[in-house]
Amino acid sequence: MGYVFDYKYYKWVAIIPGWILGDFIGAIASFLLVQELMSNKKDEISYELALLKISSLLIKSDGKVDKSEIRLVQSFFKSTFGQSKANKLFKGLKDRTDLPSDITSLTQIIKQKINPSRHYAIIQFLFGLSAVDGSISKSEEEFIFNIGFILGFNPSRLESIKNQFIKSKTRSKKYNQKIIQALSVLGLKVGVSTAEVKTEYRNLAKEFHPDKLSGMSDGIKNLAKEKFQLIQESYEYLNKNYD
């Protein structure tokens, strides 16, 4: 059974795919990934092409192809790499006979060509892509987890990223809905320890800290500040009310 996507908190806890579908398409993910553009030899497989192939495999991993997923990938690549480069990548996806079809080889290309600090953005993008049709299937989850393992993520970290894109079904007599919502912002569920809350807060604060966004437009910086502030407010509330 797939997970139910939480549209209510979409723009906050799913910041990257939210911007992909909104006016700020792929804002943070785009910025972080574009920073890693490299000058590849013509016969090399670029990380962009590897990511596009992974995206196409992910779309097919649950046995169906949803048009919303295709549109999201098209929008993301066009806004991130530009119309011209995106068209070349889409053409390469069809024409390159040397392009691997297994996620291990494709992920290794990404791992070799992108700074590890940017891997988080890739995993977020993939979870956002899998959730855009309203749920994350078991096959999609396993697909992304396999990629995450190759990139060096541990299971709990991947689980917390995934939880940012699904609605918590938690019912608790001990904790109110505000606590459950604050935990969801951090990708956590009721039952985690206060130490885990602190660790995840530090991880997310590091990912969305405004200092990492130098060079971006003021509009994107402001949105990043809002996300960063939401993370901080959620943590501060949990720090006072969660035990």
Side-chain angles (χ1 to χ4, degrees):
M1 181 177 179
Y3 300 99
V4 179
F5 186 63
D6 189 358
Y7 288 97
K8 183 177 180 181
Y9 305 114
Y10 185 85
K11 68 175 181 179
W12 297 116
V13 300
I15 188 168
I16 292 176
W19 288 349
I20 288 172
L21 297 176
D23 293 333
F24 295 91
I25 299 176
I28 287 183
S30 298
F31 177 75
L32 295 179
L33 294 179
V34 166
Q35 279 188 324
E36 299 300 325
L37 281 172
M38 297 183 178
S39 55
N40 297 292
K41 295 179 180 178
K42 290 184 179 180
D43 59 344
E44 285 184 341
I45 297 173
S46 66
Y47 90 83
E48 305 99 313
L49 187 55
L51 180 58
L52 179 57
K53 180 65 175 182
I54 285 176
S55 300
S56 70
L57 294 174
L58 175 58
I59 289 174
K60 300 173 184 176
S61 66
D62 59 357
K64 57 182 180 179
V65 176
D66 191 278
K67 290 183 178 179
S68 63
E69 295 172 327
I70 295 175
R71 287 194 296 269
L72 189 150
V73 171
Q74 291 173 337
S75 296
F76 175 79
F77 276 82
K78 288 178 182 178
S79 62
T80 301
F81 306 114
Q83 182 73 59
S84 178
K85 188 175 182 65
N87 288 341
K88 291 179 180 179
L89 291 171
F90 296 143
K91 187 175 187 303
L93 181 63
K94 296 179 180 179
D95 299 342
R96 290 288 295 264
T97 58
D98 60 336
L99 187 61
S101 295
D102 63 288
I103 60 174
T104 298
S105 298
L106 292 166
T107 307
Q108 287 293 349
I109 292 173
I110 291 175
K111 188 174 183 179
Q112 292 168 7
K113 295 179 179 290
I114 291 188
N115 189 299
S117 65
R118 308 314 187 207
H119 293 169
Y120 184 93
I122 290 175
I123 296 298
Q124 269 211 326
F125 165 68
L126 294 176
F127 272 123
L129 173 58
S130 66
V132 75
D133 62 353
S135 66
I136 300 176
S137 70
K138 190 64 179 177
S139 59
E140 289 173 326
E141 178 185 329
E142 292 176 352
F143 184 99
I144 299 172
F145 266 62
N146 285 335
I147 291 172
F149 293 150
I150 298 172
L151 293 178
F153 288 84
N154 60 46
S156 62
R157 188 75 178 117
L158 292 169
E159 188 72 23
S160 70
I161 299 173
K162 182 195 73 176
N163 288 340
Q164 296 174 23
F165 297 90
I166 60 176
K167 181 178 180 180
S168 174
K169 298 180 180 180
T170 303
R171 296 290 183 272
S172 174
K173 295 180 179 180
K174 181 178 180 180
Y175 300 111
N176 61 38
Q177 191 60 39
K178 191 171 182 179
I179 286 179
I180 295 173
Q181 179 183 336
L183 288 169
S184 179
V185 170
L186 301 184
L188 300 171
K189 297 179 180 179
V190 168
V192 297
S193 67
T194 54
E196 289 175 293
V197 171
K198 187 174 184 178
T199 296
E200 192 56 30
Y201 161 71
R202 287 178 173 175
N203 288 334
L204 284 175
K206 186 186 301 181
E207 295 295 340
F208 290 100
H209 197 285
D211 288 348
K212 293 186 66 175
L213 306 175
S214 60
M216 297 182 72
S217 68
D218 290 339
I220 299 302
K221 285 181 179 179
N222 289 335
L223 286 176
K225 288 178 181 177
E226 291 178 4
K227 172 64 176 179
F228 185 69
Q229 183 178 350
L230 180 64
I231 292 169
Q232 286 186 309
E233 290 175 350
S234 297
Y235 175 69
E236 289 172 3
Y237 182 81
L238 292 170
N239 201 33
K240 295 177 180 178
N241 300 280
Y242 184 76
D243 53 39

